[in-house]
Amino acid sequence: MAEWLDKTIEEGIPEVVENRLGRRLLYAVFWVTTAILAFWFLSTGVVYGAFVIGSPLLLLLWTRLRGLASVPRTMLVISGLAALVPTFFLGKYKAAEDGHTGLILVGFLVFLVWGAAYPAVLDKLDERFHLSLYPEELRPRKLEPEERHELAMLRVLLVKLTMATLTMLVADASIVAALCVAALLLRTHWSAVLAGLACLLETVVEINGLSLVVTFDPVAIGAGLLAAAQWWDAVKNPLWDRRAELEGGW
């Protein structure tokens, strides 16, 4: 079962996204969820909402115009800090006295979908930038991984793992989120394995004091599986290693 799921994710999803209809669906899902989040955050304050939504969108725009490898580190850090703000969902999601209200639950699920779509859109826009450098008559339909800029590919992975960490934070899995932050800082394969396993464990158990309590929360399961899949990408990627020498670092 695990082998079948891994093969489906590794071979099926890229094929769907590379399909023209799949790309359109990806962009449609991303922009719809972005619009929902923008409305949600802007309604709490224009400056606050503009920072939260504007920073990730500015990163997308820069990537499309100049490539992800050329993005200044400062912009990456600011976008990451802006992405921390969706912990707003945490307070709303957990504070509902009557359980997970419909509106908050929808907002939480929208955030999960947006967090999964954002790195994919970032990756496609970087690829479109590099394709635009080819003469139109010689322009290929897509670029193979070995033709892509290694620093850009590392940054796409970094964004994926940042989203995985935020997903755990928003899901109120603070201990797991701390492990994910440590794995981001260490940037080793073994720390990625530990972070991924912790995300998977979070889908079925909850730490209550010094004991583990088995739980069944569909939202927590979805968040944990999404985060674990992102960390699995890091485990398989040779670039996710501090010893990998890349021009520009990260």
Side-chain angles (χ1 to χ4, degrees):
M1 179 66 178
E3 291 182 1
W4 173 82
L5 180 60
D6 181 54
K7 185 175 181 181
T8 300
I9 293 174
E10 190 170 330
E11 299 180 5
I13 293 179
E15 183 63 29
V16 170
V17 173
E18 290 305 328
N19 178 274
R20 179 175 297 180
L21 178 60
R23 288 198 302 272
R24 289 178 178 176
L25 180 61
L26 170 65
Y27 291 136
V29 168
F30 173 74
W31 288 114
V32 168
T33 54
T34 298
I36 295 172
L37 292 178
F39 174 79
W40 195 309
F41 287 119
L42 287 172
S43 66
T44 66
V46 175
V47 175
Y48 166 88
F51 174 70
V52 174
I53 295 298
S55 297
L57 295 184
L58 181 60
L59 178 58
L60 290 179
L61 178 61
W62 184 297
T63 297
R64 178 62 184 89
L65 296 178
R66 302 186 60 181
L68 185 55
S70 70
V71 174
R73 287 189 186 181
T74 304
M75 183 180 292
L76 289 174
V77 172
I78 290 175
S79 297
L81 291 176
L84 284 173
V85 181
T87 51
F88 163 83
F89 283 116
L90 172 59
K92 292 282 189 179
Y93 186 68
K94 296 296 181 182
E97 295 180 359
D98 56 343
H100 304 327
T101 64
L103 180 60
I104 302 305
L105 179 59
V106 169
F108 190 95
L109 294 176
V110 167
F111 170 75
L112 291 183
V113 173
W114 182 84
Y118 183 85
V121 171
L122 188 67
D123 181 47
K124 296 307 299 178
L125 291 182
D126 180 69
E127 183 182 33
R128 286 179 62 186
F129 163 76
H130 288 289
L131 286 173
S132 68
L133 301 179
Y134 284 80
E136 187 172 353
E137 64 276 8
L138 300 176
R139 187 175 302 164
R141 188 177 65 87
K142 58 170 290 188
L143 294 177
E144 297 301 325
E146 56 271 15
E147 298 177 273
R148 302 286 300 279
H149 197 296
E150 284 192 333
L151 179 55
M153 300 303 291
L154 174 61
R155 286 179 166 182
V156 169
L157 181 58
L158 181 61
V159 170
K160 282 186 178 183
L161 300 180
T162 300
M163 290 299 178
T165 303
L166 291 174
T167 297
M168 291 293 94
L169 190 60
V170 175
D172 201 22
S174 53
I175 295 178
V176 177
L179 286 174
C180 290
V181 170
L184 281 172
L185 295 175
L186 291 172
R187 217 177 96 191
T188 61
H189 288 116
W190 65 264
S191 60
V193 170
L194 290 178
L197 289 176
C199 293
L200 279 179
L201 188 63
E202 171 63 22
T203 65
V204 292
V205 299
E206 181 178 300
I207 299 177
N208 186 6
L210 298 177
S211 60
L212 297 178
V213 179
V214 177
T215 62
F216 183 79
D217 183 341
V219 175
I221 291 174
L225 290 176
L226 171 63
Q230 309 288 41
W231 282 108
W232 179 238
D233 285 345
V235 173
K236 297 185 298 180
N237 196 318
L239 296 179
W240 192 250
D241 190 326
R242 283 190 175 276
R243 293 170 297 180
E245 297 182 0
L246 292 180
E247 182 182 351
W250 59 267

